Amino acid sequence: MKLNQHTKVVEPLAAHDLGIAQIVMQLSDLRLTSLESRQRRNKPPKLPSRKVLQEIIEGLAAALFPNRLGLPDLKDEGIDYFVGHTLDVALRELLTQVKLELNFTADTQSQLGANQASSALTKSPIEIVREFAKTLPHVRLLLDTDIKSAYEGDPAARSVDEVLVCYPGTQAIIHYRIAHVLHGLGMPLIARMITELAHSATGIDIHPGAVIGESFFIDHGTGVVIGETAIIGKHVRIYQAVTLGAKRFPTDEHGNPLKGNARHPIVEDDVVIYAGATILGRITIGRGSAIGGNVWLTRSVPAGSNITQAQMLATPLDVPAHQANSSHTNSTNPLSKEVTVAH
């Protein structure tokens, strides 16, 4: 063969040996060791797929909002067909993922010698998916209230359509609303994977077990954390870097954290929580309260409270928060007044 300056010379692979065979062997040894430590040597876990779940969520979102999240060239006469076809594909894929989680849960419980099966194991995969599908109209209604709340609460929003297609808080809430239903149907792994997809994309971490009422608005959103047992009422607005977290974890006699205990805050209706606030423990934020930016709060506050960082710094730790609030309510300190947030 005649070579010229444009001819590539392919050198033998041995000249660039990357040691892949040895790496594969080492990884195999580590994998088998891990399986043996979990008594799974002969039955490796087969888990739901993050990639497939992402496709399912995109399909469900397109079915819920076909004109804005569906195909760009969708015609009015074809919308119902598109919605039906998209739901059929997404729900069939979800059925496969549900089967994987149920099998994984059964295997895990068998390995642990669990005496009681979870409620999900008493239902067939098709029953779970069918129940989930029936909730989709209600999920759409809830999302409409969330989107409307964001539009009305943000002077920078030009339309509800902009809120739906642009706002990271809306994206995270769509994932959460869908995941919360699956969590309630006994699919905690799939539900957690769905909200973690939103967490990765938006920086907003909402546990699917949290209970959140209608008209929920997360403005900006980056760094928001909402824990598993948090309860949030209606018409609540929170800003970036807000944490609704646990103060401490109860443990068993061996020092292991107990699972499922109520350990996150209760936020009642019409509450606003400004950027950077950290609210920890099973405390209650009373209806209509405003929690100022960067406040660290570990005590309940009554309805109508206006808690600022200045108040918290000036209050001894052993003074109940409602007394601290009342002592500052009539103060002339401008920091005790709610500040309008610029957009």
Side-chain angles (χ1 to χ4, degrees):
M1 181 177 69
K2 186 177 180 180
L3 300 179
N4 58 47
Q5 60 179 347
H6 301 294
T7 303
K8 282 188 175 181
V9 177
V10 180
E11 298 184 32
L13 184 60
H16 296 287
D17 184 9
L18 301 177
I20 291 177
Q22 183 177 5
I23 295 171
V24 169
M25 186 180 301
Q26 292 172 341
L27 289 174
S28 176
D29 290 341
L30 291 170
R31 184 172 64 252
L32 292 175
T33 299
S34 175
L35 288 170
E36 287 175 352
S37 69
R38 293 175 287 144
Q39 291 81 48
R40 285 185 173 272
R41 174 66 184 264
N42 298 320
K43 200 166 188 180
K46 302 299 181 184
L47 301 173
S49 163
R50 283 174 58 94
K51 182 178 179 180
V52 173
L53 288 173
Q54 179 65 53
E55 294 170 353
I56 290 170
I57 289 297
E58 290 174 359
L60 292 174
L64 291 169
F65 299 98
N67 285 311
R68 291 168 285 180
L69 300 181
L71 298 175
D73 57 348
L74 198 58
K75 301 283 194 303
D76 287 346
E77 60 270 20
I79 289 179
D80 286 342
Y81 174 81
F82 169 80
V83 170
H85 173 72
T86 303
L87 279 178
D88 183 67
V89 172
L91 293 174
R92 287 177 186 275
E93 290 286 358
L94 180 60
L95 180 62
T96 300
Q97 302 305 304
V98 166
K99 290 176 181 177
L100 287 169
E101 175 160 354
L102 288 175
N103 289 337
F104 173 72
T105 301
D107 289 345
T108 301
Q109 291 187 349
S110 175
Q111 293 290 339
L112 295 175
N115 294 323
Q116 295 182 344
S118 70
S119 59
L121 295 180
T122 64
K123 298 178 181 178
S124 69
I126 190 64
E127 288 176 319
I128 293 171
V129 174
R130 187 179 291 119
E131 287 187 36
F132 168 77
K134 288 179 180 178
T135 70
L136 290 176
H138 179 64
V139 169
R140 166 67 198 248
L141 283 173
L142 283 174
L143 290 171
D144 281 342
T145 70
D146 299 327
I147 293 166
K148 183 172 182 285
S149 179
Y151 173 67
E152 293 176 345
D154 185 359
R158 297 177 182 272
S159 68
V160 292
D161 304 306
E162 178 186 358
V163 170
L164 174 60
V165 301
C166 295
Y167 280 36
T170 302
Q171 181 180 350
I173 292 170
I174 290 173
H175 281 67
Y176 159 76
R177 296 286 187 201
I178 292 171
H180 180 69
V181 175
L182 289 166
H183 189 275
L185 290 171
M187 297 288 104
L189 180 58
I190 289 175
R192 188 65 186 272
M193 292 173 74
I194 288 172
T195 55
E196 289 302 328
L197 289 170
H199 186 191
S200 298
T202 67
I204 299 170
D205 181 4
I206 309 176
H207 194 286
V211 176
I212 302 176
E214 66 185 49
S215 301
F216 182 50
F217 176 29
I218 302 175
D219 201 358
H220 305 295
T222 305
V224 165
V225 177
I226 300 174
E228 176 188 17
T229 62
I231 299 175
I232 299 175
K234 302 175 183 177
H235 303 283
V236 170
R237 173 164 38 116
I238 66 177
Y239 289 83
Q240 67 272 18
V242 165
T243 295
L244 302 180
K247 185 177 180 182
R248 59 176 60 90
F249 306 103
T251 58
D252 60 20
E253 64 274 14
H254 303 295
N256 299 314
L258 296 174
K259 308 291 185 180
N261 285 315
R263 58 196 182 278
H264 299 99
I266 299 171
V267 179
E268 295 184 344
D269 298 349
D270 304 307
V271 169
V272 180
I273 307 175
Y274 288 101
T278 299
I279 303 173
L280 303 180
R282 193 59 162 188
I283 63 174
T284 299
I285 308 302
R287 179 172 186 164
S289 294
I291 309 300
N294 297 315
V295 164
W296 178 280
L297 191 58
T298 57
R299 298 168 293 184
S300 294
V301 299
S305 297
N306 189 352
I307 306 298
T308 68
Q309 190 180 32
Q311 290 173 351
M312 300 304 291
L313 291 172
T315 304
L317 293 176
D318 57 350
V319 175
H322 69 276
Q323 292 182 15
N325 182 61
S326 63
S327 67
H328 286 268
T329 299
N330 299 320
S331 131
T332 58
N333 182 354
L335 292 177
S336 68
K337 299 178 181 179
E338 185 174 321
V339 179
T340 301
V341 177
H343 291 267

